[in-house]
Amino acid sequence: MLKVAIFASGTGSNFENIADDQTLKDRGLKIEILVCDRPKAAVIEKAKRREIPTFIIQPKDFENRNYYEQAIIKELVNYQIDFILLAGYIRVITTTLLDEYPMKIINIHPALLPLFPGIHGIEDAYNAGVTETGVTIHYIDEGVDTGPIIAQQKVPVLAHETLKQLEVKIHYIEHQLYPSVILNLLNK
Ligand code: GAR
């Protein structure tokens, strides 16, 4: 069994997609907890509906990032978490958490890293006029969307495609790629 925490800040479509993946469940993936830094994020309701405990925690309630992440670690240790999946978590992870979970934190990003890091990966690629973009899954380090790449999938950007259409395509790919990478981790 692999006990994971998912960190998310927003809509939670990746959270939902992973949580409902029966193959992952059958192979031993157990989402023990959702860690969320935004009390009004839609992902919280998605966790509630699936009876997955949510730990809501905000940096503003702590003196610094170190104390914030130490409080998260305390919670993760309670749940005996083996691995962390970031799914739209908008904060940079610091060494406090990285040292506790070395090479055990992965992230999904909606562009072909190292191109278009940050929180507007799809839009930035679209506005740059690229003819292809994609999705990246990578280990986390202290940078913004940096760290060793595990998997990438390319997506063509078609002429006359709208940003909305591209977003739909990217999310579709995300919902295929993240579970397949997690499945590989479970097989290791
Ligand atoms: C996803 O597109 C994910 O790739 C992106 O946030 C979105 C979350 O969507 N992550 C980043 O941009 C990381 N820099 P979701 O809440 O519906 O899963």
Side-chain angles (χ1 to χ4, degrees):
M1 187 196 284
L2 189 71
K3 293 183 173 194
V4 303
I6 297 188
F7 286 31
S9 308
T11 312
S13 74
N14 281 284
F15 170 86
E16 186 170 44
N17 180 59
I18 296 164
D20 293 347
D21 191 309
Q22 194 55 46
T23 307
L24 294 179
K25 280 186 207 167
D26 293 345
R27 293 293 185 84
L29 185 81
K30 181 93 199 302
I31 303 172
E32 293 284 345
I33 188 167
L34 165 72
V35 175
C36 183
D37 61 325
R38 288 192 169 171
K40 290 186 179 155
V43 66
I44 294 169
E45 188 53 39
K46 292 183 167 107
K48 203 184 272 179
R49 258 188 273 133
R50 291 165 177 82
E51 297 182 351
I52 295 171
T54 300
F55 184 52
I56 300 171
I57 181 163
Q58 293 183 280
K60 72 171 178 60
D61 296 329
F62 294 85
E63 208 173 298
N64 58 42
R65 300 280 307 177
N66 179 33
Y67 290 147
Y68 167 70
E69 287 191 350
Q70 274 177 9
I72 294 178
I73 290 168
K74 201 164 160 229
E75 194 70 8
L76 300 183
V77 168
N78 280 342
Y79 282 92
Q80 299 179 306
I81 295 301
D82 305 308
F83 214 92
I84 298 170
L85 306 172
L86 306 185
Y89 180 67
I90 50 135
R91 302 191 180 277
V92 172
I93 302 285
T94 79
T95 45
T96 305
L97 204 52
L98 282 166
D99 288 348
E100 203 67 28
Y101 293 90
M103 296 299 272
K104 286 185 174 166
I105 310 178
I106 63 174
N107 181 42
I108 184 160
H109 184 73
L112 292 178
L113 293 173
L115 297 175
F116 311 113
I119 57 170
H120 303 293
I122 306 175
E123 198 176 337
D124 291 346
Y126 184 83
N127 289 337
V130 293
T131 54
E132 85 176 359
T133 181
V135 174
T136 303
I137 313 273
H138 65 102
Y139 287 102
I140 279 290
D141 64 13
E142 289 163 72
V144 177
D145 299 318
T146 54
I149 289 173
I150 303 169
Q152 285 187 311
Q153 192 163 329
K154 292 176 180 170
V155 179
V157 184
L158 306 176
H160 310 302
E161 193 163 45
T162 64
L163 175 59
K164 187 75 217 154
Q165 286 168 327
L166 182 61
E167 281 170 356
V168 170
K169 265 163 48 175
I170 293 277
H171 291 309
Y172 178 81
I173 299 293
E174 288 192 325
H175 297 164
Q176 316 296 315
L177 194 62
Y178 216 171
S180 81
V181 167
I182 297 166
L183 196 58
N184 279 339
L185 289 171
L186 289 166
N187 288 338
K188 272 185 191 162

